[in-house]
Amino acid sequence: MSLVTELRLALKASVRRWTLARQQPARSHTLTQNRIFILPTRAGSAWLLLLLLMLVMAINYENNLIYALTFLLLGVFLSAMFHTYANLAGIEVRVLPSEPCFAGTQAGFELELQRHASRPFEQLSLRLEHSDQLQVVDLLHERQTVRLYCPAKQRGWLFPGGLKLETHYPLGLFRAWSWLNLEMKNLIYPEPLETPLPGALEDRSGQGHDRMSSRRGDDDFAGLERFQPGMSPRQVDWKSYARGRGLHAKHFAGHQDPDLWLDLDALGGEALERRLSRLTAWVLALSAREMRFGLRLGSFVLTPANGEAQRTRALSALALYGLEERR
């Protein structure tokens, strides 16, 4: 990398840090004149150099036609500058809720672009600070949703940094851009480690209702039993009594799955991240089978339950175990 390239990248980084430091993190920002930078592109610089040469020619040869063409092209140059600036000014960017993902994948961040003017905004480039993905959109309607991606390298909260909006519209002679300090974060779950359930868990989860424990309840009719003093008269099987079979009571039984426990300390001396990845895979497997399970992570205990809410709570606990929220 040449010295000029290094200096150019360092200057860009300094401008980015300075711009983001001037803003308070917020869920939405509106692009105003104090947040938009604009400079000529290489094509714009060449255009300006050509205008200078034409002006020298016009003065040297005292040619009115060259004068007219020079000032006409200068008007186009200035008009392009105002149009490029206007293609960013007034856009509001709002952060939308994002779906968590697993480490080793691409984390998605939902943004909503809203215009407060009747004109369309075209060829808008969006990029996150910690991502190389560049997405170009046209804001032709009042609102538009954009999804940007950032590599999720490890579990915990992922902060993608600032958001860069850029445009070269309409002629590519100028580049207008802005950095926005948005409150964006996404929860990254541990990467699931493809591993089968332990034998004890596999036996209990695989047999399903064959391993269910019975308890008294009002779920299903389980048979008749001899009526005992203290039983409710509603339980008496009057049809059986009318047939001369004696006084019997109806017995109902409910069913409850045995509770399965996932314990971090029970996995032995493996590395922490590997153990968390194993637990993540087991949480997904048990949730797919709709089994009740609980989770123990040191002093943290998640009581047994099933369903999507239990899956989300367990994965969130695994993602944040031992970490502090930080940017």
Side-chain angles (χ1 to χ4, degrees):
M1 184 181 297
S2 64
L3 179 60
V4 175
T5 303
E6 291 181 357
L7 291 175
R8 180 170 57 86
L9 294 177
L11 179 60
K12 285 185 176 181
S14 299
V15 172
R16 180 182 69 246
R17 290 192 297 267
W18 176 75
T19 304
L20 294 175
R22 293 175 59 218
Q23 307 173 26
Q24 291 294 329
R27 299 289 296 179
S28 66
H29 280 298
T30 301
L31 295 180
T32 54
Q33 61 182 7
N34 60 339
R35 292 179 177 172
I36 299 176
F37 299 88
I38 184 169
L39 285 174
T41 61
R42 291 183 179 180
S45 300
W47 186 288
L48 196 59
L49 179 60
L50 177 62
L51 291 180
L52 181 61
L53 294 176
M54 292 179 62
L55 181 61
V56 172
M57 289 177 58
I59 295 174
N60 185 49
Y61 293 103
E62 297 182 356
N63 190 310
N64 293 332
L65 183 59
I66 299 179
Y67 271 120
L69 182 59
T70 300
F71 288 112
L72 175 62
L73 295 179
L74 178 61
V76 173
F77 183 80
L78 295 177
S79 178
M81 179 180 65
F82 287 111
H83 278 83
T84 302
Y85 167 82
N87 199 48
L88 282 186
I91 297 178
E92 181 181 356
V93 183
R94 182 179 293 108
V95 179
L96 300 178
S98 300
E99 292 292 331
C101 68
F102 295 93
T105 63
Q106 294 286 325
F109 294 88
E110 296 280 351
L111 299 172
E112 182 185 72
L113 304 182
Q114 180 179 358
R115 68 183 194 187
H116 296 284
S118 58
R119 69 180 187 277
F121 295 80
E122 302 182 55
Q123 299 179 22
L124 303 174
S125 301
L126 296 93
R127 181 176 68 83
L128 296 172
E129 183 179 359
H130 301 319
S131 174
D132 295 330
Q133 181 213 12
L134 182 67
Q135 186 166 343
V136 181
V137 299
D138 293 327
L139 184 56
L140 304 179
H141 304 286
E142 183 179 357
R143 287 183 175 87
Q144 182 169 336
T145 302
V146 180
R147 188 177 181 88
L148 300 178
Y149 293 90
C150 184
K153 299 180 180 179
Q154 58 187 11
R155 66 182 177 92
W157 288 111
L158 172 63
F159 299 94
L163 173 70
K164 182 181 183 181
L165 274 80
E166 186 177 2
T167 184
H168 297 78
Y169 183 83
L171 299 179
L173 300 179
F174 285 88
R175 178 174 71 98
W177 77 96
S178 178
W179 282 98
L180 299 179
N181 192 359
L182 295 167
E183 288 182 347
M184 289 187 293
K185 66 178 182 179
N186 202 342
L187 184 59
I188 309 302
Y189 300 144
E191 182 178 3
L193 181 62
E194 293 298 333
T195 178
L197 287 169
L201 294 180
E202 182 66 36
D203 293 341
R204 295 176 65 186
S205 64
Q207 295 179 18
H209 292 283
D210 294 338
R211 293 296 304 270
M212 290 181 179
S213 59
S214 297
R215 57 177 173 83
R216 288 185 175 271
D218 300 323
D219 295 339
D220 299 308
F221 177 71
L224 298 176
E225 61 179 337
R226 182 69 62 179
F227 184 82
Q228 301 292 335
M231 289 185 174
S232 173
R234 297 181 180 181
Q235 294 180 253
V236 175
D237 184 13
W238 298 108
K239 291 183 179 180
S240 176
Y241 179 74
R243 293 171 183 168
R245 298 178 181 176
L247 195 60
H248 291 79
K250 296 178 181 179
H251 170 58
F252 296 89
H255 296 284
Q256 186 176 23
D257 289 332
D259 291 334
L260 306 177
W261 281 96
L262 303 177
D263 194 337
L264 179 66
D265 295 333
L267 294 183
E270 286 187 312
L272 174 62
E273 296 302 323
R274 188 173 180 84
R275 285 185 287 161
L276 293 174
S277 294
R278 285 188 185 275
L279 291 177
T280 300
W282 294 345
V283 166
L284 296 177
L286 293 175
S287 298
R289 301 182 188 185
E290 299 183 355
M291 299 295 298
R292 287 171 54 90
F293 67 91
L295 179 65
R296 294 191 183 100
L297 300 175
S299 61
F300 173 82
V301 177
L302 180 63
T303 56
N306 58 0
E308 185 65 26
Q310 179 75 352
R311 174 183 180 273
T312 301
R313 286 192 292 265
L315 292 176
S316 299
L318 290 168
L320 299 177
Y321 177 72
L323 300 179
E324 295 180 358
E325 185 173 336
R326 61 184 181 271
R327 292 198 69 166

